[in-house]
Amino acid sequence: EMVVTRIFDAPARIVFEAWTNPELFARWWVPKSIGIPLRSCEMDVRTGGTYRLEFGKDAENTWAFFGRYLEVVPPSRIVWTNEEDENGAVSTVIFVEKDGKTLLTFTEVYPTKEALDESLGGMEGTPEQFEQLDELLATLSAGGA
């Protein structure tokens, strides 16, 4: 299991919207420093819905993250599978609002310790992703969506 927490200066409903609206999600989720665009972002964010995020600089060289939503409870919880890998994690994000700010807890549970160890490099972009989310939330909270 891997857990990351962060406090965002926005109400839970706005942070939840940034995680569930494909247009908003596409604006913050990919770390800009990697230089690889998100080519498509399909998200049916509801319990039983699916998602597919496709990356690549051109149509011939792409890869995707995909899975399904196991639980969606607006604006407090999202649980999804990561099915692009046979050892994919089950991811959970929880939003807890206090005094207009949101404590976000992001958890990934892997089937084995080896699968967790193999995936840790994938978390290197998380600080940058969350900084990008901070920037987006500032515009949304100010009404600049």
Side-chain angles (χ1 to χ4, degrees):
E1 180 177 72
M2 191 238 1
V3 179
V4 177
T5 60
R6 172 87 178 254
I7 295 174
F8 292 96
D9 189 13
R13 65 179 174 73
I14 293 176
V15 182
F16 185 87
E17 177 76 6
W19 278 79
T20 58
N21 177 316
E23 194 174 299
L24 297 176
F25 189 82
R27 289 170 54 186
W28 69 267
W29 193 72
V30 179
K32 290 180 177 126
S33 67
I34 68 168
I36 298 173
L38 179 60
R39 296 179 58 80
S40 68
C41 180
E42 300 169 14
M43 301 168 63
D44 178 11
V45 187
R46 61 182 173 83
T47 301
T50 60
Y51 72 93
R52 182 177 177 84
L53 309 171
E54 189 172 300
F55 303 84
K57 292 190 177 191
D58 57 58
E60 290 77 40
N61 298 295
T62 64
W63 72 95
F65 293 142
F66 55 90
R68 57 199 161 81
Y69 294 99
L70 302 176
E71 183 181 358
V72 178
V73 182
S76 58
R77 181 178 173 90
I78 309 167
V79 181
W80 67 93
T81 62
N82 295 273
E83 298 176 8
E84 63 278 353
D85 183 312
E86 65 184 23
N87 290 317
V90 172
S91 301
T92 302
V93 64
I94 298 172
F95 311 85
V96 176
E97 184 175 335
K98 183 176 180 183
D99 299 327
K101 296 180 188 274
T102 300
L103 170 63
L104 182 139
T105 303
F106 177 65
T107 307
E108 289 196 322
V109 177
Y110 290 84
T112 64
K113 181 182 180 333
E114 293 76 21
L116 169 63
D117 291 345
E118 288 175 18
S119 75
L120 286 178
M123 293 307 295
E124 290 174 358
T126 303
E128 185 178 356
Q129 286 174 301
F130 283 178
E131 287 170 18
Q132 292 170 181
L133 178 54
D134 261 334
E135 293 168 11
L136 174 64
L137 292 171
T139 67
L140 297 176
S141 294

